[in-house]
Amino acid sequence: MSGELRVQREPWRGNELLSYPERPASIVHILDDVVRAHGATEGLVDAHGRCTYDEFAMRVAGTAAALADRGLGRGAALGVVSPNSVDLAVLVFACAAAGVLMVGLSERGAPPRWARLLRTAGASAVAAAPGHHAAATSAAAAADLAEPAVMDLAELTRDRTLPWSFVRPDEGDTYAVVGTAGTTGPPKASRVIHRCSVHSALSYRSVLGLTSRDRTAVLFPLTYISALHAHVLPMMLAGGTSVLTTASRAHRFCDVLADEQITWMYTVPSFWLALLRTDRFSGIHLPHLRLAAFGGSAFPPDALGEIRRRFPEVALHNIYGLSETHSPATILRDDEFADRPTSVGRALPCMEARVVDATGAVVTTGDDGQLQLRGSLVTTGYLGDAGATAAAFVDDGWFATGDQARFDAEGYVWLLGRRHDLIIRGGFNIAPVEVEQALRHHPGIADAAVFGVSDGIGDRAVACAIVRDDPALRPRAVRAWVRTQVGDYAVPRHVHFVDDIPLTAIGKIDRGALAERLPGSPRRRRRHRRPGDTADHVEERARFGPPRSGTLMPP
């Protein structure tokens, strides 16, 4: 890693955890440091304008005062919904400086989901960008907020500027919460902690070797995790520039990369695939781009090779993390891909990782189990949910990720899927991710998703959805490939050819949606069964409808 950071154990959350001793105390201190060192530098850019770090900090100070004028001081909570903009970035830092808890509301979320988060956080108001006022009003009413509960975000953040100053936050303070994006239940409000955010930003700056000459395109929403931690904060530490974009279409994002001379980009595999399918990307000249990354799900090997071919000078990284780890947990660096292309790398210097079995015992190298993490990147828990916190944070400060994984002897991690995604068939535990990786190596397959369905006799059958490169590919060939690459126990009973793979709101495979639309499921069999049909007849006749692809934008 470039720019190695000194690491030592420090007391945190009742344990001695790996930490970076030379660090700012909070994200507000990071802003203060960049103002002192790079105040005249262009700091943040959006579609409406540009500002230096000096100008940004004065807007932050003015907005913190505006919050106080509206009765939002230390200990208050404010819901925030907006596309990426300098206005939104100002509000993020103003809340942190004023001690106001920012409740990040996803633009793609629905008012009932927003209302649950607002109630959990004890919010008293919502700041909304134009286009979101009606939905924010509905959510505020559902959360029983006193009227008028919704304020205009632009008006709040543009009314005034003041000389930059701030009250020192405690590094253990929760300055924001985000709704976790799980697909198995209602969202939990994961705490975003100053100390953890600082360690996350320092990790990114160190691994990437960022400098004041770097410019990053921020595609992730600022109301979530990765935008702040992988982009804005590391750029502040380095004195570089963050370009906040709403260009969720691939061809528009290409323009941002070229016009803004971007050096660092990071997005999910699905958006990379969209870029590779765009004519603009195939002929684009990006001489400034030197750093790139993907994360959130597995990357098809052919697509990875195509990126390497088009941009041989770009260092590519695979980043694994969660909301609860403030973005990164492990990173596979560019120079490690050749030997371990399907690994997610090793734990960051301020993070420890282990794999445990169902009893909590640490497994031996090479064995499967649940991945647990511990370190200065890990949150302190879920706001308003002591039960979920106790279940996820086990003995001695270890966080149970819910991801199945295995290690090799050198500490590299391989993800095998979510624990609840495991398919148990005939006594075998089948990890969907492992089968998907094998399928993506087939020359006729562009993408694949694997999930479990009931076989009607109390066991689970393997099903897969395939995006074909070769239109002549047939289910028999798919099954034969899995048999030779993984084993006969993992051969899919159901093979379906689709145009696209449905995704969750953060760009991960939505296995629940796939299982729901499986033609052989009980609901669809009732809908399509004809006299004399067997389940096999129904399955052979039926096909998926148009897939409901999720957003290409990650957390």
Side-chain angles (χ1 to χ4, degrees), residues 104-144:
L105 305 176
S106 168
E107 281 192 283
R108 297 191 72 246
R113 178 187 173 104
W114 294 353
R116 286 194 294 270
L117 286 171
L118 294 171
R119 282 194 296 268
T120 297
S124 56
V126 180
H132 294 294
H133 286 199
T137 300
S138 174
D144 297 323

Side-chain angles (χ1 to χ4, degrees), residues 51-63:
C51 65
T52 66
Y53 281 117
D54 280 336
E55 293 165 340
F56 180 77
M58 288 189 291
R59 286 189 62 186
V60 169
T63 301

Side-chain angles (χ1 to χ4, degrees), residues 84 218-234 555:
N84 280 354
V218 187
L219 184 60
F220 303 158
L222 264 172
T223 49
Y224 209 66
I225 289 292
S226 292
L228 189 65
H229 295 86
H231 297 280
V232 176
L233 289 175

Side-chain angles (χ1 to χ4, degrees), residues 301-313:
D302 290 346
L304 190 61
E306 181 65 13
I307 292 172
R308 294 286 195 193
R309 185 187 67 79
R310 294 191 192 183
F311 304 102
E313 303 303 319

Side-chain angles (χ1 to χ4, degrees), residues 222-311:
L222 264 172
T223 49
Y224 209 66
I225 289 292
S226 292
L228 189 65
H229 295 86
H231 297 280
V232 176
L233 289 175
M235 281 299 170
M236 286 184 171
L237 288 169
T241 303
S242 295
V243 180
L244 306 169
T245 179
T246 58
S248 59
R249 298 293 183 183
H251 68 278
R252 289 182 55 209
F253 189 67
C254 289
D255 293 337
V256 173
L257 294 176
D259 295 345
E260 293 292 341
Q261 300 181 0
I262 297 302
T263 64
W264 158 229
M265 65 167 288
Y266 171 28
T267 186
V268 293
S270 54
F271 197 78
W272 274 109
L273 294 175
L275 287 170
L276 291 172
R277 291 192 295 265
T278 302
D279 292 340
R280 177 84 172 91
F281 195 63
S282 63
I284 199 169
H285 183 53
L286 299 174
H288 299 89
L289 187 65
R290 70 182 190 90
L291 299 162
F294 65 90
S297 60
F299 210 128
D302 290 346
L304 190 61
E306 181 65 13
I307 292 172
R308 294 286 195 193
R309 185 187 67 79
R310 294 191 192 183
F311 304 102

Side-chain angles (χ1 to χ4, degrees), residues 384-542:
D385 199 334
T389 299
F393 296 86
V394 295
D395 58 304
D396 299 327
W398 287 96
F399 167 61
T401 66
D403 286 324
Q404 294 294 111
R406 71 168 69 104
F407 281 92
D408 71 8
E410 296 180 60
Y412 288 86
V413 180
W414 273 262
L415 293 181
L416 305 175
R418 296 292 292 172
R419 189 177 184 183
H420 61 258
D421 288 335
L422 274 180
I423 304 165
I424 302 175
R425 177 183 181 187
F428 289 96
N429 288 345
I430 302 168
V433 169
E434 184 176 20
V435 183
E436 288 162 0
Q437 289 173 347
L439 287 168
R440 292 188 185 108
H441 278 87
H442 189 288
I445 293 176
D447 202 2
V450 173
F451 51 100
V453 295
S454 173
D455 66 357
I457 57 173
D459 212 342
R460 302 286 282 172
V462 180
C464 66
I466 301 292
V467 179
R468 285 184 286 200
D469 263 344
D470 177 5
L473 185 68
R474 293 293 180 263
R476 180 178 296 177
V478 173
R479 295 184 179 104
W481 181 263
V482 173
R483 182 177 289 108
T484 59
Q485 300 297 310
V486 183
D488 58 2
Y489 64 91
V491 170
R493 177 178 300 179
H494 309 283
V495 177
H496 302 279
F497 297 114
V498 298
D499 294 327
D500 206 350
I501 302 297
L503 305 174
T504 67
I506 61 171
K508 296 186 178 183
I509 294 172
D510 192 339
R511 302 182 203 281
L514 281 169
E516 175 68 18
R517 296 203 304 279
L518 176 70
S521 70
R523 178 179 300 179
R524 294 187 67 93
R525 283 203 298 271
R526 285 195 299 271
R527 188 179 303 158
H528 298 292
R529 183 177 292 280
R530 298 173 181 171
D533 269 349
T534 66
D536 288 340
H537 291 149
V538 176
E539 179 191 340
E540 289 300 319
R541 189 173 61 246

